[in-house]
Amino acid sequence: MQRLNNKALLRDKAYINGQWCEAQSGARMPVLDPATSEQIATVADLDGADVSLAIDAANAALPAWRRKTAKERAALLRNWFERIVAAKDDLAILMTAEQGKPLAESAGEVMYGASFIEWFAEEGKRVYGDVVPTHAADKRVIVTKEPVGVVAAITPWNFPNAMITRKAAPALAAGCTIVIKPAEDTPLSALALMVLAEEAGIPAGVINIVTSSRSAEVGQTLTDSPIVRKLSFTGSTAVGKQLMRQCADTVKKISLELGGNAPLIIFDDADLDRAIPAAIACKFRNAGQTCVCANRVLVQDGIYDEFIKRYKVAVEQMTIGHGLQGTFDQGPMINAAAIGKVEELLNDATSKGARVVTGGERHPLGEAFYRPTVLADVTPEMRVAKEEIFGPLAPIFRFDTEEQAIQMANDTEYGLAAYFFANNLGRVWRVQEGLEYGMVAVNEGILSTEVAPFGGIKESGIGREGSKYGIDEYVEMKYVLIGGIDK
Ligand code: SIN
């Protein structure tokens, strides 16, 4: 942390009602560098009682915040955006220190995160209602959109910045206030964002950050509260289902961005010069720890051997190291347990006939480092075909026909992102129409942007984030009937 230009960005307290505060119990939790397991900070470790105070603060701040005009809120959001951009380098250092991703990726995420604030500052001004052609001469029908109220956001460690701004920006732009529970592993990025929000002039109580290691207790407090009218969660499908059940008692509006099992399909007519680097980025970005990373690489017969040969060379050129000690393509995984899952899946696959093309073992750099790995001759019976890997392991499956590729791609309960490489225009249309996914990228390996709706179908989630649609998750529609206008 010596490298931070602005040391004030490093905070170790939670933020409730405009105050930096300790847990009432005095508890604190460690923040570790995943590359070394060394403790880099401790932060306040809040419990349910603390979180209730944050909910009350968000509720108290709501009337004044929703009364502001969209333009007034936009000015504050724009101010926040500009401060984040100016602090990009420091925010990236903090992120790499607590999350492990290479510094360039962290800087990229900071800008990606900031883009949601810039975007929704503008979109907030365009939350239009409707005047509906009337059904009776003496009546008028109008539809207005109102902020949903107090929002709770529970965010993951893999994107410690952007998953916060992707929720907070539309919430605030719509006139909602928010309580954010950042991941236990990565609270420093969230607190630094809060420093900048405070400097930008966001009023007390509008954003509250509750750092905690007691995820279940905090989740229960947020979902039990009748004051909280909306929950937005990014994380695993198992936890998403549990939170959804908990939200049922108070019938909250929910957005869930959950797990994925993304297919990346390489057809015979693909341009491999384009597909190979895209397949590297799609699989190995953030050490494979994103819910939209390719989970299965499906390659057509005619190009199978050539793809594997070239992919192996490209994967073996990747550099690995501690993101604050040099320029690398891949950092550590979040912890040794995450590597354990990758090893389990690899062992299952090889015991059933899969072949290690490259990698397949831990890296000597430390217990959280794993070599980028390619497995060939993987089949649908292996666990890796069904389970989210969340690590730097690319399993390659062989297919024959287009129909078979679509069938294999859709053979999962998930439906977040899918990718394919093909040049035949008819095939491009047929395959994108056949894929049961919320997002499909054609001849591209990365599809995230603030201008497009991010989200999944099936067990990958509910709702969309980003884009002109993202703000709908934070407003309620009100139908107003005005009668007797003939008198
Ligand atoms: C995620 O993995 O949860 C989000 C990935 C992205 O926004 O690109």
Side-chain angles (χ1 to χ4, degrees):
M1 298 308 173
Q2 298 309 316
R3 288 172 55 176
L4 287 181
N5 285 316
N6 177 6
K7 303 233 171 353
L9 289 173
L10 179 60
R11 292 299 168 110
D12 65 356
K13 296 188 171 68
Y15 188 82
I16 298 177
N17 203 19
Q19 304 294 321
W20 294 95
C21 53
E22 294 288 357
Q24 293 171 97
S25 68
R28 300 187 67 74
M29 60 183 191
V31 183
L32 307 181
D33 174 349
T36 60
S37 296
E38 277 167 25
Q39 182 173 306
I40 51 176
T42 65
V43 302
D45 189 1
L46 274 53
D47 60 19
D50 300 308
V51 172
S52 295
L53 295 178
I55 296 171
D56 290 343
N59 198 32
L62 182 63
W65 183 249
R66 63 179 285 166
R67 254 197 324 269
K68 281 189 189 299
T69 63
K71 192 170 175 172
E72 287 168 335
R73 290 194 293 264
L76 291 168
L77 286 169
R78 177 84 209 175
N79 213 349
W80 189 20
F81 162 77
E82 278 163 10
R83 282 164 196 271
I84 291 171
V85 172
K88 179 182 88 175
D89 294 344
D90 279 347
L91 293 174
I93 290 169
L94 277 173
M95 191 186 300
T96 295
E98 64 178 349
Q99 200 276 346
K101 64 179 72 177
L103 201 53
E105 269 193 58
S106 293
E109 184 187 332
V110 172
M111 294 309 289
Y112 176 48
S115 74
F116 291 105
I117 302 177
E118 183 185 40
W119 175 266
F120 283 110
E122 291 304 313
E123 281 302 300
K125 299 176 192 165
R126 291 184 263 280
V127 180
Y128 298 121
D130 269 318
V131 179
V132 179
T134 189
H135 61 298
D138 67 333
K139 300 181 183 26
R140 293 294 180 269
V141 176
I142 56 176
V143 177
T144 63
K145 301 226 181 119
E146 298 187 343
V148 71
V150 173
V151 171
I154 303 180
T155 60
W157 52 262
N158 62 341
F159 287 87
N161 173 309
M163 297 304 103
I164 290 177
T165 57
R166 195 155 80 178
K167 300 177 192 314
L172 265 57
C176 301
T177 56
I178 194 164
V179 177
I180 300 167
K181 152 77 174 74
E184 168 186 356
D185 292 312
T186 56
L188 302 180
S189 295
L191 297 173
L193 277 174
M194 192 63 242
V195 172
L196 299 168
E198 189 180 40
E199 282 177 18
I202 307 279
V206 171
I207 308 178
N208 304 275
I209 311 259
V210 292
T211 49
S212 179
S213 65
R214 303 155 196 246
S215 299
E217 182 181 340
V218 172
Q220 194 75 53
T221 306
L222 292 170
T223 52
D224 281 354
S225 168
I227 295 172
V228 173
R229 292 310 319 145
K230 156 95 193 181
L231 173 77
S232 179
F233 169 72
T234 296
S236 73
T237 294
V239 174
K241 286 180 183 177
Q242 179 59 31
L243 290 168
M244 191 174 176
R245 281 190 278 270
Q246 290 172 204
C247 285
D249 281 344
T250 48
V251 194
K252 292 190 204 316
K253 200 172 163 88
I254 49 172
S255 301
L256 301 173
E257 203 264 271
L258 307 178
N261 183 1
L264 186 158
I265 312 171
I266 313 286
F267 286 100
D268 281 347
D269 61 325
D271 172 0
L272 284 191
D273 288 341
R274 190 174 178 90
I276 299 283
I280 295 281
C282 186
K283 175 68 247 184
F284 296 104
R285 148 170 108 105
N286 203 5
Q289 302 170 114
T290 92
C291 53
V292 289
C293 274
N295 209 59
R296 294 168 291 156
V297 183
L298 315 182
V299 187
Q300 198 160 14
D301 265 344
I303 209 168
Y304 188 82
D305 292 334
E306 191 190 350
F307 176 83
I308 290 179
K309 197 166 94 196
R310 290 181 58 180
Y311 199 44
K312 173 180 191 289
V313 171
V315 169
E316 287 177 350
Q317 280 168 358
M318 287 176 64
T319 54
I320 303 174
H322 189 305
L324 292 180
Q325 290 169 9
T327 304
F328 301 104
D329 298 315
Q330 187 183 293
M333 295 185 67
I334 191 68
N335 51 42
I339 291 200
K341 170 87 190 284
V342 173
E343 286 176 333
E344 254 183 48
L345 293 175
L346 181 116
N347 292 340
D348 172 77
T350 50
S351 74
K352 293 174 182 157
R355 166 168 62 92
V356 177
V357 174
T358 187
E361 58 186 8
R362 293 183 187 221
H363 194 284
L365 270 173
E367 62 165 15
F369 288 89
Y370 198 78
R371 287 193 193 280
T373 295
V374 179
L375 270 184
D377 306 337
V378 182
T379 60
E381 296 71 43
M382 299 173 186
R383 278 179 58 191
V384 77
K386 303 274 178 222
E387 296 178 33
E388 194 172 24
I389 303 166
F390 235 65
L393 164 62
I396 304 189
F397 301 69
R398 186 193 285 266
F399 70 90
D400 182 14
T401 64
E402 191 179 297
E403 294 69 29
Q404 193 188 1
I406 294 172
Q407 183 276 323
M408 286 169 76
N410 290 340
D411 184 19
T412 169
E413 68 270 25
Y414 295 109
L416 190 58
Y419 310 80
F420 68 94
F421 286 77
N423 275 327
N424 177 292
L425 190 56
R427 165 171 282 164
V428 166
W429 273 105
R430 287 191 302 275
V431 175
Q432 75 82 10
E433 283 175 359
L435 289 170
E436 295 165 0
Y437 286 84
M439 301 177 282
V440 176
V442 186
N443 295 329
E444 291 291 342
I446 291 188
L447 44 59
S448 307
T449 159
E450 80 279 14
V451 309
F454 190 105
I457 61 171
K458 295 162 78 178
E459 294 191 21
S460 285
I462 293 176
R464 293 293 180 271
E465 297 192 303
S467 82
K468 68 171 182 172
Y469 305 104
I471 206 156
D472 293 345
E473 308 286 336
Y474 297 91
V475 294
E476 293 283 15
M477 206 180 277
K478 181 184 272 177
Y479 152 45
V480 181
L481 175 69
I482 305 177
I485 65 153
D486 52 341
K487 301 244 168 56

